[in-house]
Amino acid sequence: MADESKGPNYAKLALGAGLLAAAAIGIAAFVPRKKLACITEPMANLAKLPVAAAVTAWAAGLWQAATAPQAPVFDDLRPFDEF
């Protein structure tokens, strides 16, 4: 049975960050500024709504819960010795 790590997978994290960076560079290089401004203006207006603050607070709470320190789990499947 293989040991599974519950910690972060840095290879997947680096791959995701690289993909996001490549997409951002591609958009910045190939989309004209005027067209990009027309597309992003409604999204900027949505960010000013109170719902955006609530969603951000909710996501921050999820992040805090996911990264909180936890007690170690001992899953050795040995029988209890209570006698």
Side-chain angles (χ1 to χ4, degrees), residues 1 4 10-11 14-16 24 29 35 40 60 62 64 67-68 71 82-83:
M1 193 150 99
E4 291 185 18
Y10 293 114
L15 179 64
K35 185 177 268 189
T40 58
L62 285 179
Q64 185 177 12
T67 58
E82 296 183 9
F83 300 104

Side-chain angles (χ1 to χ4, degrees), residues 3 5 10 22-23 25 34 37 39 43 45 48-49 51-52 58 61 71-72:
D3 257 350
S5 174
Y10 293 114
I25 291 170
K34 287 184 180 182
I39 293 170
M43 287 185 245
N45 291 336
K48 296 175 185 173
L49 294 175
V51 173
W58 171 73

Side-chain angles (χ1 to χ4, degrees), residues 46-77:
L46 285 175
K48 296 175 185 173
L49 294 175
V51 173
V55 170
T56 303
W58 171 73
L62 285 179
W63 180 261
Q64 185 177 12
T67 58
Q70 297 176 349
V73 176
F74 300 104
D75 190 15
D76 56 5
L77 301 175

Side-chain angles (χ1 to χ4, degrees), residues 5-11 13:
S5 174
K6 297 291 183 186
N9 187 340
Y10 293 114
L13 185 64

